Amino acid sequence: MLAGVSALVIAGGLSACSGGSGSSGDSADGTTTIDVWLMRDSISAQFQKEFVKGFEAAHPHIKAKVQIQEWDGIGEKVTAALASNDAPDVIETGNTQVAQFAQSGGLLDLSDKVDELGGSHWLKGLAEPGAYKGKQYGIPYYAANRVVIYRKDLFKKAGIDPAAIKSRDQWLAATKKLNSSGTQGIYLPGQMWYALAGFIWDEGGDLATQSGGTWKGTLDTPQALRGMDFYKKLQALGKGPKDSDEAEPPQGEVMAKGQVAQIISTPGGANVVTQNNPELKGKLGFFPIPGKTAARPGSVFIGGSDLVIPAASGKQDAAFTFVKDLTGDAWQRKLAVAMSYVPNKTTLADAVASDPGASAMAVGAAVGRATPNTPGWAAVEAKNPIKDYMTAVLTGADETAEAARSSAAITAAMKGGS
């Protein structure tokens, strides 16, 4: 699961403005007011206030009217706004949602602005899903991803140095050593499919691939099967339920009970642990999910947000100025520190060097990925045959047959959801 200040409005502009807009019009003194939709809890009220104040000071001719939106139902709300003549001027959207909105033709193509925004250094896990059919619509905003949260005291007692765990084999060996004397080496529920995706990517596989314009599920490839085989070995080194995910029961609450050495989570999961067991304050640490070899950290799913500009905005130049500032280096560094996010560029990773959780995230984010970049993927997550596949394999079903069955379900879902 971040922004230089540009002193000038972009001259030359973007595409021609459409007639209708949800923005307030230009005032008599030449001030342009833009409407901005940002998501609940993506940034703090304090950071929002600080940014808007700084932005408006740098651009006295632009006023930013920020409205906070709820994640629940946001897809339908954005879709309706994009189809209307009353769209806001800037919208924050989940990175994997951009393709869905771009498919409708309601987003402004920002491909010619990528170099200006430092796109060569963007995190691929944010930049790639922000593109659709070769055009860039979403501008990377901030990122977050999973790391390993571990018990420092249990690692020390077992004589394990977490800094020395660089490969999956080393991780397995350490986890086996921790999995004794009433302690679970790792609490890994059977349906944490985002973690599985990372192991599959490390093996060179994917959840689905496109060929000839058609998407097909690929859990049955040799690479994907190897990823599932590692998940099975790791999951066996604890007592995680095979038929549920990290939310049932909440894995942070499970770790808080004191018998778990590791979980896979975003760093914020450590707060859940200590809230439920204050005695564990100061006893939790973080390290990046290890890779297949020590030469490269493990691939992780990159969550986070992109910023988009609706084609219906009547204030596209001012909207782009807002996007450029918020996603530029100066404000990205401030956002990373304020929110413990991973900045949107690999060149800004040092901004979170003093934050153990965020710095561990940044290592994985540099090689992070996103789910298949197609509007049809939303239908896969709605039905989620991947979870059923994982449970079936972990409870003894034939892995090859189940992988083929799940791949077919993914293919059907993507076809119906495109």
Side-chain angles (χ1 to χ4, degrees):
M1 79 162 152
L2 288 119
V5 176
S6 169
L8 301 173
V9 171
I10 308 304
L14 305 167
S15 62
C17 297
S18 61
S21 171
S23 298
S24 305
D26 291 335
S27 65
D29 64 359
T31 299
T32 298
T33 300
I34 57 173
D35 287 332
V36 179
W37 286 4
L38 298 181
M39 299 308 302
R40 173 76 63 194
D41 297 330
S42 65
I43 57 174
S44 67
Q46 178 60 38
F47 181 85
Q48 177 187 318
K49 181 179 179 180
E50 180 185 353
F51 172 75
V52 171
K53 182 179 179 180
F55 173 77
E56 292 181 347
H59 309 283
H61 53 283
I62 305 175
K63 299 296 181 185
K65 181 182 176 183
V66 177
Q67 302 174 41
I68 300 301
Q69 305 295 320
E70 304 294 337
W71 284 106
D72 187 30
I74 190 61
E76 293 80 1
K77 187 170 183 177
V78 171
T79 298
L82 295 178
S84 73
N85 290 322
D86 193 36
D89 303 294
V90 178
I91 300 175
E92 175 189 349
T93 179
N95 59 324
T96 60
Q97 294 177 316
V98 177
Q100 174 187 349
F101 301 140
Q103 182 186 38
S104 70
L107 298 183
L108 183 66
D109 178 9
L110 297 169
S111 302
D112 62 340
K113 300 298 179 182
V114 171
D115 290 343
E116 182 179 348
L117 296 173
S120 63
H121 299 298
W122 282 339
L123 295 175
K124 290 184 178 180
L126 292 179
E128 290 181 353
Y132 181 64
K133 292 188 174 180
K135 297 180 179 180
Q136 192 73 38
Y137 296 96
I139 304 305
Y141 178 20
Y142 66 83
N145 51 269
R146 289 165 178 79
V147 299
V148 179
I149 301 177
Y150 72 95
R151 285 275 300 274
K152 295 178 181 178
D153 53 336
L154 296 179
F155 269 60
K156 184 176 181 180
K157 183 179 179 180
I160 299 170
D161 178 7
I165 301 175
K166 300 295 185 182
S167 71
R168 293 200 319 217
D169 285 344
Q170 292 169 337
W171 191 20
L172 275 180
T175 305
K176 287 178 181 177
K177 193 172 183 180
L178 290 160
N179 192 44
S180 62
S181 303
T183 297
Q184 297 184 55
I186 188 169
Y187 178 84
L188 180 60
Q191 296 183 346
M192 190 184 285
W193 69 276
Y194 283 124
L196 171 64
F199 302 151
I200 290 173
W201 292 330
D202 281 344
E203 294 289 348
D206 210 335
L207 305 175
T209 57
Q210 185 182 32
S211 178
T214 301
W215 283 90
K216 179 182 178 182
T218 52
L219 291 179
D220 54 345
T221 63
Q223 297 91 338
L225 289 169
R226 289 197 297 269
M228 184 63 217
D229 182 61
F230 175 77
Y231 191 102
K232 186 176 181 179
K233 292 177 180 176
L234 187 64
Q235 201 273 339
L237 299 176
K239 300 178 182 178
K242 295 178 173 58
D243 59 352
S244 65
D245 60 21
E246 59 270 33
E248 290 292 336
Q251 63 175 357
E253 295 180 11
V254 176
M255 190 177 197
K257 294 178 181 178
Q259 286 84 44
V260 173
Q262 305 172 88
I263 59 173
I264 297 173
S265 171
T266 57
N271 296 330
V272 178
V273 177
T274 55
Q275 285 167 8
N276 283 274
N277 186 353
E279 292 183 3
L280 293 180
K281 286 184 178 180
K283 295 182 179 180
L284 301 178
F286 312 88
F287 61 84
I289 293 176
K292 185 177 180 180
T293 70
R296 188 176 186 271
S299 299
V300 290
F301 167 75
I302 297 289
S305 289
D306 284 9
L307 297 177
V308 300
I309 299 175
S313 165
K315 311 292 177 183
Q316 291 175 354
D317 286 347
F320 179 74
T321 303
F322 183 95
V323 170
K324 183 177 181 180
D325 279 18
L326 189 50
T327 63
D329 291 4
W331 283 104
Q332 283 288 293
R333 287 183 176 279
K334 293 178 181 179
L335 181 60
V337 172
M339 301 300 297
S340 293
Y341 285 147
V342 178
N344 63 0
K345 300 184 183 74
T346 57
T347 50
L348 301 177
D350 63 304
V352 292
S354 62
D355 184 324
S359 59
M361 278 200 299
V363 172
V367 294
R369 300 272 297 272
T371 50
N373 188 18
T374 169
W377 187 255
V380 176
E381 292 199 23
K383 297 180 179 180
N384 219 323
I386 305 172
K387 287 186 173 184
D388 295 335
Y389 159 65
M390 296 173 74
T391 294
V393 172
L394 294 174
T395 53
D398 180 80
E399 185 172 334
T400 303
E402 292 298 330
R405 184 177 292 110
S406 184
S407 294
I410 290 172
T411 301
M414 295 179 85
K415 183 178 181 180
S418 298

